[in-house]
Tab-separated table of all heavy atoms in Angstrom:
chain	number	residue	atom	x	y	z
F	21	THR	N	63.760	-1.065	-38.180
F	21	THR	CA	64.989	-1.704	-38.675
F	21	THR	C	65.670	-2.386	-37.513
F	21	THR	O	65.394	-2.093	-36.344
F	21	THR	CB	65.944	-0.665	-39.284
F	21	THR	OG1	66.397	0.189	-38.247
F	21	THR	CG2	65.248	0.150	-40.368
F	79	ILE	N	-15.793	4.343	-11.666
F	79	ILE	CA	-16.460	5.612	-11.924
F	79	ILE	C	-17.965	5.398	-11.847
F	79	ILE	O	-18.480	4.311	-12.095
F	79	ILE	CB	-16.071	6.187	-13.301
F	79	ILE	CG1	-16.464	5.220	-14.420
F	79	ILE	CG2	-14.592	6.503	-13.360
F	79	ILE	CD1	-16.287	5.794	-15.804
F	173	ASP	N	-43.873	-1.486	-9.247
F	173	ASP	CA	-44.309	-1.645	-10.635
F	173	ASP	C	-43.170	-2.263	-11.439
F	173	ASP	O	-42.247	-1.573	-11.869
F	173	ASP	CB	-44.704	-0.288	-11.214
F	173	ASP	CG	-45.212	-0.384	-12.649
F	173	ASP	OD1	-45.303	-1.517	-13.170
F	173	ASP	OD2	-45.503	0.671	-13.245
F	274	PRO	N	-3.105	2.869	-20.153
F	274	PRO	CA	-2.373	3.980	-19.553
F	274	PRO	C	-1.412	4.623	-20.539
F	274	PRO	O	-0.822	3.957	-21.381
F	274	PRO	CB	-1.603	3.312	-18.405
F	274	PRO	CG	-1.464	1.892	-18.833
F	274	PRO	CD	-2.703	1.572	-19.608
F	311	ASP	N	14.656	-5.585	-24.964
F	311	ASP	CA	15.679	-5.446	-26.001
F	311	ASP	C	15.710	-6.679	-26.891
F	311	ASP	O	15.242	-7.757	-26.514
F	311	ASP	CB	17.061	-5.172	-25.393
F	311	ASP	CG	17.605	-6.333	-24.562
F	311	ASP	OD1	17.263	-7.500	-24.841
F	311	ASP	OD2	18.382	-6.079	-23.619
F	342	ASN	N	32.807	19.852	-18.438
F	342	ASN	CA	34.043	19.275	-17.914
F	342	ASN	C	34.556	20.009	-16.679
F	342	ASN	O	35.722	19.908	-16.318
F	342	ASN	CB	35.134	19.258	-18.990
F	342	ASN	CG	36.199	18.205	-18.690
F	342	ASN	OD1	35.933	17.244	-17.989
F	342	ASN	ND2	37.395	18.404	-19.233
F	365	ASN	N	15.315	-8.442	-20.806
F	365	ASN	CA	14.033	-7.801	-20.542
F	365	ASN	C	13.677	-7.845	-19.055
F	365	ASN	O	13.902	-8.851	-18.378
F	365	ASN	CB	12.931	-8.492	-21.343
F	365	ASN	CG	13.194	-8.458	-22.837
F	365	ASN	OD1	14.017	-7.676	-23.308
F	365	ASN	ND2	12.510	-9.305	-23.583
F	538	GLY	N	-13.906	-25.787	18.365
F	538	GLY	CA	-14.303	-25.958	16.974
F	538	GLY	C	-15.713	-26.514	16.873
F	538	GLY	O	-16.400	-26.697	17.878
F	567	GLU	N	-5.095	-13.798	-5.903
F	567	GLU	CA	-5.019	-13.706	-7.360
F	567	GLU	C	-6.413	-13.830	-7.971
F	567	GLU	O	-7.318	-14.427	-7.394
F	567	GLU	CB	-4.119	-14.808	-7.918
F	567	GLU	CG	-2.657	-14.665	-7.551
F	567	GLU	CD	-1.799	-15.723	-8.213
F	567	GLU	OE1	-2.310	-16.417	-9.123
F	567	GLU	OE2	-0.628	-15.866	-7.831
F	590	VAL	N	-0.154	-0.399	22.073
F	590	VAL	CA	-0.281	-0.945	23.429
F	590	VAL	C	0.736	-0.250	24.326
F	590	VAL	O	1.924	-0.175	23.988
F	590	VAL	CB	-0.055	-2.468	23.435
F	590	VAL	CG1	-0.181	-3.017	24.856
F	590	VAL	CG2	-1.045	-3.156	22.503
F	619	VAL	N	13.522	11.998	39.736
F	619	VAL	CA	14.424	12.579	40.736
F	619	VAL	C	14.895	13.929	40.204
F	619	VAL	O	15.738	13.983	39.306
F	619	VAL	CB	15.622	11.658	41.013
F	619	VAL	CG1	16.539	12.288	42.063
F	619	VAL	CG2	15.147	10.285	41.454
F	642	ILE	N	7.064	-15.619	44.737
F	642	ILE	CA	8.404	-15.041	44.751
F	642	ILE	C	8.484	-14.024	43.624
F	642	ILE	O	8.043	-14.283	42.498
F	642	ILE	CB	9.472	-16.128	44.557
F	642	ILE	CG1	9.402	-17.139	45.717
F	642	ILE	CG2	10.869	-15.515	44.461
F	642	ILE	CD1	10.307	-18.327	45.525
F	651	THR	N	17.391	6.050	30.310
F	651	THR	CA	18.431	6.466	29.363
F	651	THR	C	17.860	7.185	28.156
F	651	THR	O	18.446	8.127	27.653
F	651	THR	CB	19.229	5.244	28.886
F	651	THR	OG1	18.315	4.256	28.380
F	651	THR	CG2	20.017	4.640	30.043
F	662	GLU	N	10.513	-8.038	30.296
F	662	GLU	CA	9.990	-7.046	29.365
F	662	GLU	C	10.970	-5.920	29.090
F	662	GLU	O	10.675	-5.009	28.317
F	662	GLU	CB	8.669	-6.472	29.894
F	662	GLU	CG	7.546	-7.494	29.944
F	662	GLU	CD	6.239	-6.904	30.459
F	662	GLU	OE1	6.149	-5.669	30.577
F	662	GLU	OE2	5.315	-7.683	30.749
Side-chain angles (χ1 to χ4, degrees):
T21 66
I79 60 172
D173 182 3
D311 65 29
N342 203 24
N365 301 343
E567 293 184 12
V590 180
V619 180
I642 298 173
T651 53
E662 294 181 11

